[in-house]
Amino acid sequence: MNDRSNVKKLIGVISGKGGVGKSSVTSMLAAATMKKGYKVAVMDADLTGPSIPQSFGITEKAFGTEEEIWPVESKGGIKIMSVNSLLENET
């Protein structure tokens, strides 16, 4: 965290194994938390297959300045940041 952050809670969904449902659990947890009235953001740090943006139907890229990067917001209001949101060419 830094002095510009106002994050109060952080939940990590992690596993060293692929295909165990990390993205599914993360997407459902984010949507359920948002339904309860909380502000929600998801950081997808999967370098080999970031799928969170696809789960939320996001195709746009993140934007920012030299000091900050702003996440893309889903239709439901969940802020999404992913490795593939930063790359010009996702391959």
Side-chain angles (χ1 to χ4, degrees):
M1 311 280 179
N2 64 42
D3 59 342
R4 294 183 185 193
S5 175
N6 60 0
V7 174
K8 293 183 177 74
K9 305 270 188 213
L10 179 75
I11 299 171
V13 179
I14 60 171
S15 173
K17 180 160 178 18
V20 296
K22 296 179 296 289
S23 295
S24 296
V25 168
T26 299
S27 299
M28 291 185 285
L29 183 61
T33 305
M34 188 75 163
K35 267 188 181 177
K36 289 193 172 247
Y38 293 96
K39 292 180 183 177
V40 177
V42 175
M43 172 65 176
D44 185 359
D46 188 342
L47 298 174
T48 59
S51 59
I52 292 293
Q54 184 179 12
S55 299
F56 288 96
I58 292 174
T59 57
E60 327 58 286
K61 300 295 181 188
F63 58 96
T65 66
E66 288 185 22
E67 295 179 7
E68 296 178 306
I69 300 173
W70 291 279
V72 179
E73 193 167 317
S74 72
K75 290 179 185 174
I78 297 172
K79 293 182 175 146
I80 309 291
M81 180 55 70
S82 178
V83 172
N84 62 349
S85 296
L86 300 172
L87 302 173
E88 286 182 36
N89 183 354
E90 293 178 27
T91 58

